[in-house]
Amino acid sequence: MALTENHTPVEHRLILENELVRVWDVLLYPGELLKHRDYALPSLVVVVEGDRTETVRSDGSRETLDETPGAFRYLEAGESFALKNVGSHRYWSRIVEIKTAPHMRNIDPKETFYDDAYAPVAQKVLFENELIRLWEISLPVGGGHPTHHHMLPYVILSVEGGHNQMKWQDGRTTRSYEGPGFVLFREPGGIHRLYNMDETKPYLNRLMEIKVPSYPLPDLETPLTEEVLIDTTESEWRPKSLEGLSEIRLFTNEETGATISLVKFAKGSGIPEPHKHASNQFMFCLSGEYVYTATNTVLRPGSFYWNPKGNVHGPTMANADSVLLEIYDGPHYPQKPSWYTDDKDAK
């Protein structure tokens, strides 16, 4: 929704806008005044820094407000006032304008809007009406919030914090820096846990859910649209149905059969028979010593190995505990090899 003659910019800087919200940055040093503004849309104000402000309305009435970090207030559409920093510290806030629509009205404020199979999306509700629900997440250094599932679009407004980590149910790990004033809009969808990874600072945010029950949940089978980080040091090795072999799957393309995995062979284990693959196979040795015994091809740390589609190779033997990065650009085998009893081990 574009600004019109009847909608004065809230001030000072527009930092995020989409079809549901518009987020503004407001910064006032002691004694500074934000001139009279008409708030044409319902809005949520979240304080990042400050101590006291004074509102001045057109009828001359004044109100002094405590504006400590994390303080918030909800403004109904049509409110109008000037704002002055009457404290001794700078005032810094985020104003989230909510772009109302008919289907956002007449919603039962007591609806949960989160998946009861998991923890609530945050720790406690601070405010709620028919348009939004405002939550608080407060995490000590090293603390985490349990697995949860967002069923509504939401805006993260960070008050205090730094480095965070999310662990997703699909195995991904994503990291971000959410320092004071950080703002992010997220679609509903993925199931995850949140951790405060900062070594010195607790994490505090305000999480504003937007009550749009008709808002579509994303198709979790569609390609990811954000970068992915997997911490393999915290991933569990999955034993395969060949003794001594285990795997950490990093990537799978269900449509083409392409995969990327870490594979680990215990000393003395290996593939027992000559075989061929239904696609190109690429391997990079990270540790150990892994040998293709028929050709005496030895993979040691730093070795890169490529076996073209259809070429027969093997058997193999690990002369030491060996870890390899293995990539297939399509399906692994023309048919399930005899050494696997579990079909999924051949994929």
Side-chain angles (χ1 to χ4, degrees):
M1 182 174 70
L3 297 178
T4 69
E5 292 181 359
N6 297 321
H7 186 184
T8 307
V10 170
E11 205 68 38
H12 285 109
R13 182 170 60 98
L14 181 65
I15 58 175
L16 184 153
E17 183 169 14
N18 59 28
E19 73 278 9
L20 295 179
V21 296
R22 182 187 290 124
V23 184
W24 297 87
D25 173 73
V26 176
L27 181 64
L28 297 173
Y29 285 89
E32 286 189 331
L33 177 73
L34 180 64
K35 295 181 179 180
H36 199 277
R37 291 291 183 269
D38 296 319
Y39 293 86
L41 297 175
S43 303
L44 178 75
V45 182
V46 174
V47 178
V48 182
E49 293 181 25
D51 56 10
R52 285 185 303 129
T53 62
E54 182 180 68
T55 60
V56 183
R57 300 188 180 274
S58 55
D59 62 4
S61 61
R62 297 171 180 264
E63 181 183 10
T64 300
L65 302 168
D66 290 328
E67 301 275 32
T68 53
F72 66 91
R73 53 200 165 103
Y74 181 80
L75 306 177
E76 297 286 356
E79 292 201 36
S80 178
F81 55 85
L83 183 71
K84 184 176 182 179
N85 182 357
V86 295
S88 57
H89 302 284
R90 73 173 186 173
Y91 170 80
W92 183 25
S93 72
R94 302 304 197 203
I95 298 180
V96 185
E97 294 183 289
I98 304 151
K99 297 179 175 181
T100 56
H103 63 274
M104 295 174 67
R105 296 289 186 181
N106 302 317
I107 299 171
D108 183 354
K110 295 182 180 180
E111 284 195 59
T112 60
F113 291 111
Y114 58 84
D115 191 333
D116 289 334
Y118 300 95
V121 299
Q123 291 164 330
K124 64 179 178 180
V125 176
L126 302 174
F127 173 83
E128 183 170 9
N129 63 12
E130 75 278 11
L131 296 181
I132 67 169
R133 176 182 286 135
L134 184 68
W135 298 82
E136 175 180 277
I137 295 182
S138 178
L139 301 177
V141 172
H145 183 60
T147 302
H148 54 282
H149 186 194
H150 292 273
M151 307 294 284
L152 291 174
Y154 61 101
V155 178
I156 296 170
L157 301 148
S158 180
V159 177
E160 183 177 8
H163 297 280
N164 287 349
Q165 178 175 279
M166 282 187 177
K167 291 187 177 181
W168 301 81
Q169 192 178 55
D170 62 10
R172 292 178 294 141
T173 297
T174 56
R175 294 178 178 174
S176 63
Y177 182 80
E178 295 186 15
F182 175 86
V183 175
L184 177 68
F185 174 85
R186 279 192 181 275
E187 304 279 354
I191 299 167
H192 59 261
R193 292 176 62 95
L194 173 68
Y195 296 90
N196 177 11
M197 304 300 291
D198 204 281
E199 297 181 354
T200 60
K201 293 175 289 200
Y203 174 71
L204 177 68
N205 82 5
R206 302 294 182 242
L207 189 155
M208 189 190 85
E209 291 184 291
I210 308 163
K211 294 184 177 181
V212 192
S214 61
Y215 202 84
L217 286 172
D219 180 358
L220 299 182
E221 298 301 320
T222 58
L224 297 171
T225 56
E226 60 183 35
E227 58 189 359
V228 174
L229 177 68
I230 298 175
D231 186 349
T232 60
T233 64
E234 297 186 4
S235 301
E236 292 187 8
W237 290 92
R238 184 185 72 83
K240 302 185 83 168
S241 55
L242 174 66
E243 186 175 355
L245 174 60
S246 55
E247 174 192 53
I248 297 175
R249 180 60 58 89
L250 304 174
F251 168 82
T252 301
N253 186 318
E254 298 291 352
E255 185 175 333
T256 66
T259 62
I260 303 174
S261 303
L262 288 177
V263 293
K264 179 167 64 175
F265 288 89
K267 181 179 179 180
S269 65
I271 305 298
E273 300 172 9
H275 58 281
K276 61 183 179 181
H277 295 286
S279 62
N280 294 302
Q281 179 196 32
F282 309 92
M283 300 181 77
F284 185 83
C285 184
L286 299 172
S287 64
E289 184 175 284
Y290 187 67
V291 182
Y292 287 85
T293 56
T295 57
N296 197 32
T297 302
V298 183
L299 279 64
R300 297 186 177 92
S303 298
F304 173 74
Y305 174 82
W306 171 25
N307 189 56
K309 174 182 176 180
N311 181 60
V312 176
H313 68 167
T316 69
M317 175 65 69
N319 290 337
D321 290 346
S322 302
V323 177
L324 304 107
L325 179 68
E326 183 178 49
I327 301 170
Y328 291 92
D329 61 7
H332 290 204
Y333 300 98
Q335 59 190 32
K336 182 174 74 69
S338 61
W339 55 83
Y340 288 136
T341 58
D342 191 334
D343 288 347
K344 70 181 180 182
D345 292 336
K347 298 179 180 179

